Amino acid sequence: MALINKESVKKKMGSRIAANNFAKFLFILATSFSLLVLGVLLFRILDEGLPYLSLDFITSFASRLPERAGIWAALVGTIWIMTVTAPVSFILGVGTAIYLEEYAKKNAFTKFVQINIANLAGVPSIVFGLLGLTIFVRLAGLGSSVLAGGLTMSLLILPVIVVASQEAIRTVPKEIREASFGMGATKWQTIRRIVFPAALPGILTGTILALSRAVGETAPLLVVGALAYVAFVPENLLSSFTVLPIQLYNWTSRPQEDFHMLAASGIIILMIILLIMNSIAVYIRNKFHKRF
Amino acid sequence: MDITINKKSVQKGKEEQEVTPVFNINNLNLWYGQDHALKDIKFDIPEKQVTAIIGPSGCGKSTFIKTLNRMVEMVPIVRMSGEIIYRDKNIFDPKYGVEELRTQVGMVFQKPNPFPKSIYDNVAYGPRIHGIKNKKVLDEVVEKSLRGAAIWDEVKDRLNENAFGLSGGQQQRLCIARCLAIEPDVILMDEPTSALDPISTLKVEELVQELKKEYSIVIVTHNMQQAARISDRTAFFLNGEVVEYTDTSTLFSNPSDKRTEDYITGRFG
Ligand SMILES: Nc1ncnc2c1ncn2[C@@H]1O[C@H](COP(=O)(O)OP(=O)(O)OP(=O)(O)O)[C@@H](O)[C@H]1O
Ligand SMILES: [Mg+2]
C-alpha cells in the first residue's frame, strides 16, 4: 500500500499555492509602502529645494538674507572633516580588524573585546560627541576644530569599519591562506599579499558606507562645538568649522519660510554626495567581486 | 639521536633496497585535543620515489602528510610527540623555522586553490616571497615551472589572465607549477586528483611519473588503482596506525596483513 495518499496531496495543492501567492502579496505590499513614503519625501524636497538650487547657492557663504545664503562653508567643512575621518578610521579600523582576525588568540578576552566592538556600533552618536568633547576638545586641547571634529567622527564609525573589515577578512577562503603558508610565506607576507588584497573590496565598501553615515551626522559635531553660522572656510586643521547637516538643521529651525526652502536645496546636495559615495561602494563591490 | 640514516635501508621491503631516505619518522604521535589521530608512526620516505598513502576516510592520511611540512600546526588544538628527521635535521627543532622547511617541502592540496591573481603571479608568488624581484629570473622560473607541470602550452598566451578562468584540471596543474616554482625537494600531494575528471587525472598521474625524476613525492589517494599505477611504495593506514608499508607491487599482490588484504579487495573502507 502506498504511504502517500495521492487524493489528499491533490486536495492540499490548491491551498498551498494560495498561501504561496498570499505571502508574495504581503512582501510586495511592504516594499510598496516604503517606496511610497520615500517617493513622497523625495517629491517634497525636490519641490521645495529645486527653485533655490544654483551655482551661487553652492559657492556662497551663509547669510541673513535667504536670496544670498549658500552652503559653501558647510560643504567645504564637510570635506575637511572627511579628509581627517577617512584615513584615521580606515587605518585604525583595518588594523584592528587584522589584529583580531589574524593575530589575536581566540580566548575569552578577545571574545569580550569583540562583543564590545559590536556593541559600540550601536551606541548613540551623541555619546561619541561627549567622548570627543572630553578627549579631543578639552584634554588634548584641540578646541572646537576640524581636527577634533574629524577624530570624533572617526571614533563614531570605527566600530562599523572594524566589524565590516573583519567580515571581509573572514570571507577570504582558508584554502588560499594555506597555499601561501604551504610555500613558506610568513604570516605578514600572507596577510599583505593574499588576505588583504582579497578582502580589500569588502573593506572599502564597508568603509565608504560608514563614511557616508558620518557625512549625515549632526549630533556629535554639535557637542564638539561646530559652529552653526560660519562665513569662512576652514584654513587648517585647527580652524573652526561647520558641516552640511548642521547648516541644514540651522536653516530648518528658523521661522522664515524661505530658509526652509534653502534647507531643502541643501538636502538635495547632501543626497547627491551620499548617492555618489554609495555608488562608488557598489562599483567597487562589483568590479572587484572575485570568484572563490 | 643517532644520525645513521644516510644509506640506511628503507625498512621492511621484501628485498632490502638501498635508498637514501629524505624523511625519517620515529614514534610520531599526534592528538587533536583528546583524539589520538596518529599512533606511534615509524616511517621512512625514500628519495626520488613516489610514496603512496592509502586507507579509509578518517584514518589520518591528511594529518600525517601535513605533519611533514608542519601545516598541521595551524589547527590550534594539535599536540605532537616523537621526531621527524628531514635530511639530518629534526623539523621540530626550534632553530629550524617552518618557513625554511616549507620551502623545501612543498604541498599540493586536494582542491585546486589558486590565488585570485593572474596565472603568472600565481607561479611567481613563491619566488617573490623569497625575495626574487628580477623580472628576467621570474620569467624564467614561471616558464620552467609551467613546463614542468605540463601546462605551459595551454596557458602561455594568457599568462596575465586570472587563474580562475582555468578549468579545474588546469588549476590543479597550475598549483603544481606554483609548488615547483620554489624548487622544493619533496612534494606532498593530498588527493590531488579527487576533484578532477578522468582525463585531467591521467594528466596529473603522468606528471607525477615525470616529476619523480627530480623530486621525492608523497601522495595520499583514495584510489587504489592510482596508487598501484603511480607509486613505488605504498603505506596502508588504519585508525592512525601504519598497518603495512612496503613496495607497491608487494602490497597489492601479496599483502602480509589481513586488514590490508581486506581493504584492497574492497571488503571494507
Ligand atoms: N582540524 C581537526 N580538528 C579535530 N580533529 C580533526 C581535525 N582534522 C582531522 N581530525 C580528525 O583526525 C582524524 C584523521 O583525519 P584526517 O583528515 O587525517 O583523515 P584522512 O585519512 O585524511 O581522511 P579522508 O580520506 O576523509 O581525507 C579523524 O578522526 C578526524 O576527525
Ligand atoms: Mg584527507
Side-chain angles (χ1 to χ4, degrees):
Chain A
M1 201 191 80
L3 286 172
I4 292 176
N5 184 341
K6 292 276 184 299
E7 265 314 294
S8 79
V9 169
K10 211 167 240 151
K11 257 189 264 160
K12 272 266 179 203
M13 194 71 80
S15 65
R16 276 173 43 209
I17 289 172
N20 185 39
N21 290 337
F22 181 67
K24 182 174 165 191
F25 170 75
L26 270 187
F27 294 130
I28 290 179
L29 205 67
T31 311
S32 331
F33 181 74
S34 336
L35 281 181
L36 189 76
V37 174
L38 201 67
V40 170
L41 206 69
L42 264 181
F43 174 76
R44 271 206 45 155
I45 287 168
L46 289 178
D47 187 43
E48 285 191 358
L50 277 181
Y52 267 101
L53 206 57
S54 66
L55 205 61
D56 276 348
F57 173 69
I58 294 175
T59 55
S60 305
F61 287 106
S63 161
R64 275 170 210 293
L65 307 168
E67 316 78 69
R68 295 184 46 196
I71 54 161
W72 185 238
L75 190 62
V76 176
T78 290
I79 294 171
W80 268 93
I81 291 288
M82 282 306 114
T83 43
V84 173
T85 303
V88 171
S89 58
F90 182 81
I91 292 168
L92 288 181
V94 176
T96 308
I98 289 181
Y99 176 74
L100 286 175
E101 283 303 307
E102 302 286 335
Y103 290 97
K105 291 218 168 62
K106 301 277 171 281
N107 57 20
F109 179 71
T110 312
K111 207 161 174 188
F112 176 76
V113 171
Q114 186 71 55
I115 290 172
N116 276 289
I117 290 176
N119 282 343
L120 276 180
V123 168
S125 58
I126 191 136
V127 177
F128 285 96
L130 293 169
L131 188 67
L133 180 69
T134 321
I135 297 180
F136 302 126
V137 180
R138 302 226 174 108
L139 265 180
L142 296 176
S144 301
S145 61
V146 169
L147 190 56
L151 290 176
T152 305
M153 280 305 198
S154 308
L155 287 188
L156 173 70
I157 61 173
L158 204 51
V160 182
I161 294 182
V162 172
V163 172
S165 305
Q166 279 187 289
E167 295 287 333
I169 290 170
R170 248 176 261 153
T171 60
V172 178
K174 177 167 124 277
E175 287 79 13
I176 65 171
R177 285 167 207 264
E178 284 179 348
S180 174
F181 285 124
M183 308 191 66
T186 60
K187 187 157 202 164
W188 169 233
Q189 286 176 318
T190 304
I191 292 173
R192 190 166 66 91
R193 291 169 185 258
I194 304 295
V195 177
F196 187 69
L200 193 59
I203 291 175
L204 283 181
T205 316
T207 306
I208 293 171
L209 293 180
L211 282 176
S212 66
R213 178 184 166 202
V215 169
E217 275 289 345
T218 330
L221 292 182
L222 278 176
V223 177
V224 168
L227 304 174
Y229 181 93
V230 189
F232 53 85
V233 294
E235 277 174 352
N236 57 43
L237 287 175
L238 295 177
S239 309
S240 48
F241 67 99
T242 189
V243 291
L244 278 173
I246 293 181
Q247 180 70 73
L248 300 182
Y249 173 73
N250 176 263
W251 279 336
T252 47
S253 54
R254 295 201 188 181
Q256 298 96 317
E257 189 68 23
D258 280 336
F259 278 113
H260 297 175
M261 297 198 156
L262 276 181
S265 315
I267 289 173
I268 296 175
I269 303 281
L270 188 60
M271 281 199 312
I272 292 173
I273 294 177
L274 293 180
L275 212 61
I276 292 173
M277 292 177 76
N278 286 318
S279 315
I280 294 174
V282 171
Y283 175 78
I284 292 176
R285 189 159 50 207
N286 292 342
K287 168 128 201 238
F288 293 95
H289 188 74
K290 297 264 166 60
R291 285 183 302 136
F292 284 120
Chain B
M1 85 214 84
D2 57 337
I3 317 258
T4 51
I5 44 178
N6 278 336
K7 290 289 168 194
K8 195 175 101 182
S9 66
V10 179
Q11 55 159 348
K12 272 198 250 169
K14 273 272 160 65
E15 67 281 29
E16 297 266 307
Q17 303 164 285
E18 288 292 314
V19 193
T20 322
V22 286
F23 272 108
N24 292 75
I25 295 128
N26 280 311
N27 306 323
L28 177 68
N29 281 283
L30 183 144
W31 294 264
Y32 290 110
Q34 293 304 310
D35 187 4
H36 198 173
L38 294 178
K39 298 166 191 157
D40 268 328
I41 306 279
K42 180 165 168 43
F43 212 96
D44 283 358
I45 292 168
E47 187 175 34
K48 297 196 177 155
Q49 293 199 2
V50 178
T51 306
I53 295 173
I54 60 170
S57 191
C59 68
K61 304 181 295 294
S62 300
T63 303
F64 173 67
I65 75 164
K66 281 192 290 183
T67 58
L68 299 179
N69 63 351
R70 294 181 58 188
M71 286 294 279
V72 77
E73 288 168 30
M74 293 182 69
V75 180
I77 54 173
V78 157
R79 280 185 300 125
M80 283 186 272
S81 73
E83 64 175 14
I84 298 180
I85 309 289
Y86 165 69
R87 295 209 184 266
D88 300 357
K89 290 203 186 94
N90 187 347
I91 66 168
F92 297 123
D93 187 336
K95 275 186 269 166
Y96 195 58
V98 277
E99 288 84 9
E100 191 184 338
L101 175 69
R102 288 172 189 162
T103 54
Q104 293 300 318
V105 184
M107 184 158 193
V108 176
F109 297 79
Q110 176 166 1
K111 243 178 65 196
N113 56 354
F115 298 127
K117 296 172 182 286
S118 71
I119 294 170
Y120 184 96
D121 288 341
N122 261 279
V123 184
Y125 183 78
R128 279 185 179 141
I129 59 172
H130 294 109
I132 294 166
K133 295 206 180 80
N134 186 322
K135 177 87 172 102
K136 249 189 86 206
V137 177
L138 285 177
D139 285 349
E140 272 173 39
V141 173
V142 168
E143 178 170 346
K144 179 160 171 263
S145 309
L146 288 168
R147 281 191 194 280
I151 191 181
W152 171 252
D153 290 329
E154 287 156 77
V155 299
K156 62 170 187 270
D157 299 321
R158 45 195 288 207
L159 292 177
N160 291 318
E161 284 173 33
N162 196 297
F164 287 131
L166 299 172
S167 75
Q170 289 173 327
Q171 288 187 12
Q172 191 64 304
R173 277 178 289 142
L174 176 68
C175 292
I176 295 175
R178 184 176 64 185
C179 179
L180 298 183
I182 53 172
E183 300 183 345
D185 177 29
V186 183
I187 301 176
L188 310 173
M189 299 181 160
D190 191 354
E191 300 186 45
T193 60
S194 65
L196 305 184
D197 64 284
I199 293 175
S200 308
T201 299
L202 200 67
K203 284 197 175 145
V204 172
E205 286 184 10
E206 285 168 2
L207 182 57
V208 169
Q209 291 300 298
E210 200 50 43
L211 291 175
K212 80 170 192 184
K213 291 175 190 157
E214 283 188 62
Y215 306 92
S216 312
I217 295 171
V218 184
I219 184 168
V220 170
T221 175
H222 260 134
N223 180 331
M224 279 177 275
Q225 284 78 26
Q226 183 170 69
R229 273 195 300 269
I230 66 174
S231 70
D232 302 294
R233 294 177 65 80
T234 301
F236 172 58
F237 274 57
L238 188 63
N239 297 326
E241 287 176 83
V242 186
V243 172
E244 194 164 350
Y245 177 37
T246 180
D247 300 319
T248 300
S249 53
T250 315
L251 188 118
F252 283 103
S253 61
N254 190 14
S256 57
D257 196 293
K258 179 81 172 60
R259 291 168 294 174
T260 316
E261 190 179 341
D262 286 350
Y263 183 72
I264 59 179
T265 51
R267 246 166 283 176
F268 77 90

